Amino acid sequence: MDPFTPEKRSQIMARIKSKNTKAEVRLATTLWRRGHRYRKHCKTIFGTPDLVFKKYKIAIFVDSEFFHGKDWETRKRPVNNAEFWANKINRNIQRDKQVNEYLTSRGWKVLRFWSNDVKTKLYTIIRTIEKEIENAHQKIYYKPELD
């Protein structure tokens, strides 16, 4: 049983952000301070990644654990409106897979991070992104010479 009225529950759910979440802003700010330049929520890229390095074809998504189904098969599920939430989360998981497949088939590197990992393992994530940028930079600017 939901402890809130439908109106109060609606207010609570309306306040959940889909853009510029705390984890996303923290990751973006840290990358910016380290000298990396990117685009946020680039609508021209399929799936509208949270951060995009177009030059290097790197798309970064910061996903919330609940809405994107982390450990969905084993986690405790909502009791209220269970069918709605199961369908919603399963659709999100499928959409994430489709976005990954579409972008990788077109030469993009897709990086997905859980929001809690951004909070607890920020510099590991930063280093992962920087390694991908270095790899992409090498491919673009240091192509092997043909004999």
Side-chain angles (χ1 to χ4, degrees), residues 63-127:
D63 297 334
S64 74
E65 286 75 6
F66 178 75
F67 287 103
H68 290 267
K70 181 177 183 183
D71 302 326
W72 183 242
E73 298 305 318
T74 58
R75 90 178 288 150
K76 184 180 175 194
R77 298 189 182 198
V79 177
N80 294 326
N81 212 357
E83 184 179 339
F84 167 80
W85 285 111
N87 290 336
K88 180 171 183 60
I89 304 304
N90 286 324
R91 275 194 318 267
N92 288 349
I93 292 168
Q94 282 305 115
R95 187 183 63 240
D96 291 346
K97 287 178 185 176
Q98 289 173 341
V99 168
N100 290 354
E101 290 171 6
Y102 180 88
L103 292 175
T104 53
S105 72
R106 282 157 178 76
W108 284 79
K109 179 69 178 184
V110 178
L111 301 174
R112 285 189 178 272
F113 302 107
W114 297 113
S115 59
N116 282 340
D117 289 343
V118 172
K119 293 175 190 172
T120 59
K121 304 173 188 173
L122 179 63
Y123 285 99
T124 303
I125 290 171
I126 293 293
R127 190 62 198 133

Side-chain angles (χ1 to χ4, degrees), residues 9-71:
R9 176 59 65 197
S10 181
Q11 284 179 334
I12 291 169
M13 295 306 289
R15 295 190 65 187
I16 296 174
K17 292 181 171 187
S18 63
K19 292 182 181 178
N20 298 319
T21 62
K22 287 181 184 179
E24 184 185 320
V25 169
R26 186 171 184 211
L27 178 62
T29 302
T30 305
L31 286 169
W32 191 269
R33 286 182 181 155
R34 292 175 68 89
H36 301 291
R37 300 300 177 247
Y38 50 80
R39 294 285 171 250
K40 291 175 68 177
H41 310 292
C42 188
K43 292 178 183 176
T44 60
I45 308 301
F46 182 72
T48 315
D50 298 318
L51 302 174
V52 174
F53 295 91
K54 276 189 170 182
K55 179 179 182 179
Y56 301 122
K57 289 186 127 184
I58 298 173
I60 300 171
F61 296 87
V62 178
D63 297 334
S64 74
E65 286 75 6
F66 178 75
F67 287 103
H68 290 267
K70 181 177 183 183
D71 302 326

